[in-house]
Amino acid sequence: MRVLGVDPGLTRCGVGVVEGTAGRPLTMVGVGVVRTSSELDTAQRLVAIEQGIEEWLDTHRPGFVAVERVFSQHNVRTVMGTAQASAVAMLCAARRGLPVALHTPSEVKAAVTGSGRADKAQVGAMVTRVLRLTAPPKPADAADALALAICHIWRAPAVNRLQAAHAAARRQGPPTGSVRKVTR
Amino acid sequence: MRVLGVDPGLTRCGVGVVEGTAGRPLTMVGVGVVRTSSELDTAQRLVAIEQGIEEWLDTHRPGFVAVERVFSQHNVRTVMGTAQASAVAMLCAARRGLPVALHTPSEVKAAVTGSGRADKAQVGAMVTRVLRLTAPPKPADAADALALAICHIWRAPAVNRLQAAHAAARRQGPPTGSVRKVTR
């Protein structure tokens, strides 16, 4: 499976593509950062992020997208931008019919390092080892995006079973979503 | 000027289009709600919201979009969905080159009722009077979207002067945003 990991942010959106299967050596396909200037309005920054994510999807054609789940415990100002950037990443993926998985930072750290409380350096070191790189990817957002993709591949069997169970439950429940519109 | 107001939310996204100029009677062009089912994944809900907003932009061709500015003081869970829905609304507008303005809930209430602490009923009553409707628009999200559009029209002269000043400052500052990509 080929997974695009996205560590969302308005200023720096880490992106990393990893290919492989749980239990076998994984390969890094690409890593980078979509940056937008703080001089731009938020709306324009979101358009720039959309363009950047679309380029990564076009170039690397992943089959899955893993996005960091945003929590609001963090810094109040930062978290809104992070939520907005993550919305754009999810939108770009779902619009193409790609499955989107959200993983929390501690799930990613635990999957990659064995500890949900690992620091940036430990995550970078494990990403470097797992993908057999010569040095940790910089900046940290890029390494985090690769860690997300690795986490998704390693957790995929469990996550996919859960998603299948949810989908089955939905089929037996009320009809799924609709967009309604009222105009006077 | 014709303004689309958006009161963002994952479950109910209020939308309202108002036409007119500050100091003259305003006209309601349309009002409604884009709904998405909580049975859907967040990513799929964002796609449904994008489709709904795009339909409103296509149908009513507003020249401006006013979106409620999301704060994180509110309920922690709700605010993330609100931030994500607002990101989609801003993205849809900015992608078309439409100016996007953000107004806080208290700015909207103050503009429409004279008090930044007005309740839902007061906002609904003033929207009904200003737009010469026979009854307050329901649900409250739809009335709030119209209030946002009214607020934008009434505040427009001041906001536009500010935006022009910011744009002038930017032209004299460092170069504006860029999207960069690094692939190995």
Side-chain angles (χ1 to χ4, degrees):
Chain A
M1 61 196 292
R2 177 175 284 206
V3 179
L4 171 67
V6 180
D7 182 28
L10 273 187
T11 303
R12 286 186 309 277
C13 208
V15 278
V17 182
V18 176
E19 169 113 31
T21 314
R24 300 217 180 168
L26 305 181
T27 312
M28 181 177 81
V29 177
V31 66
V33 178
V34 176
R35 294 175 200 269
T36 75
S37 165
S38 59
E39 301 284 317
L40 295 174
D41 295 339
T42 303
Q44 294 171 297
R45 299 180 84 172
L46 296 174
V47 173
I49 291 170
E50 182 186 42
Q51 288 169 349
I53 300 282
E54 286 289 337
E55 273 182 45
W56 275 82
L57 292 171
D58 284 342
T59 305
H60 296 295
R61 304 266 160 208
F64 303 83
V65 176
V67 181
E68 188 176 295
R69 189 185 291 277
V70 183
F71 280 113
S72 27
Q73 284 91 307
H74 305 137
N75 180 297
V76 157
R77 270 198 68 130
T78 319
V79 87
M80 304 309 294
T82 309
Q84 292 169 328
S86 78
V88 172
M90 285 191 267
L91 178 68
C92 290
R95 213 161 44 190
R96 294 182 182 222
L98 295 177
V100 177
L102 302 174
H103 301 287
T104 66
S106 50
E107 281 167 354
V108 174
K109 288 173 187 172
V112 174
T113 72
S115 162
R117 297 178 172 191
D119 62 18
K120 293 269 175 202
Q122 289 172 291
V123 172
M126 279 307 293
V127 165
T128 309
R129 190 189 296 181
V130 168
L131 299 175
R132 290 153 296 143
L133 309 176
T134 50
K138 296 260 167 85
D141 313 78
D144 285 347
L146 290 172
L148 265 157
I150 294 169
C151 167
H152 186 69
I153 294 172
W154 285 352
R155 285 170 54 101
V159 171
N160 292 346
R161 274 198 302 275
L162 262 176
Q163 286 189 333
H166 283 163
R170 275 209 294 266
R171 278 195 297 274
Q172 292 163 8
T176 54
S178 62
V179 181
R180 266 194 277 165
K181 183 179 150 188
V182 186
T183 313
R184 288 201 206 172
Chain B
M1 61 196 292
R2 178 175 284 206
V3 180
L4 170 67
V6 180
D7 182 30
L10 272 187
T11 303
R12 285 186 309 277
C13 208
V15 279
V17 182
V18 176
E19 170 113 31
T21 315
R24 302 218 178 164
L26 306 181
T27 311
M28 182 178 81
V29 178
V31 67
V33 178
V34 176
R35 293 176 200 269
T36 74
S37 164
S38 60
E39 302 285 318
L40 295 174
D41 294 339
T42 304
Q44 294 171 298
R45 300 179 83 171
L46 296 174
V47 173
I49 291 170
E50 181 186 43
Q51 288 169 349
I53 300 281
E54 287 288 337
E55 273 183 44
W56 277 81
L57 292 171
D58 284 341
T59 306
H60 296 296
R61 303 265 159 208
F64 303 85
V65 176
V67 182
E68 187 176 293
R69 189 186 289 277
V70 182
F71 280 114
S72 25
Q73 284 90 303
H74 306 138
N75 180 298
V76 158
R77 268 197 70 127
T78 319
V79 87
M80 302 309 294
T82 310
Q84 292 170 329
S86 78
V88 172
M90 287 192 265
L91 178 68
C92 290
R95 214 162 41 189
R96 293 181 182 224
L98 296 176
V100 177
L102 302 175
H103 301 287
T104 66
S106 50
E107 281 168 354
V108 174
K109 289 173 187 171
V112 174
T113 71
S115 161
R117 295 179 175 193
D119 63 17
K120 292 269 174 204
Q122 288 172 289
V123 171
M126 279 306 294
V127 165
T128 308
R129 191 189 296 180
V130 168
L131 299 175
R132 292 153 292 143
L133 308 176
T134 50
K138 297 260 166 84
D141 313 79
D144 285 347
L146 290 171
L148 264 157
I150 294 169
C151 167
H152 187 69
I153 293 172
W154 286 352
R155 285 171 54 100
V159 170
N160 292 347
R161 275 198 302 275
L162 261 177
Q163 285 189 333
H166 282 164
R170 274 209 293 266
R171 279 194 297 275
Q172 292 161 7
T176 53
S178 61
V179 181
R180 269 195 276 162
K181 185 178 150 188
V182 186
T183 312
R184 290 201 207 174

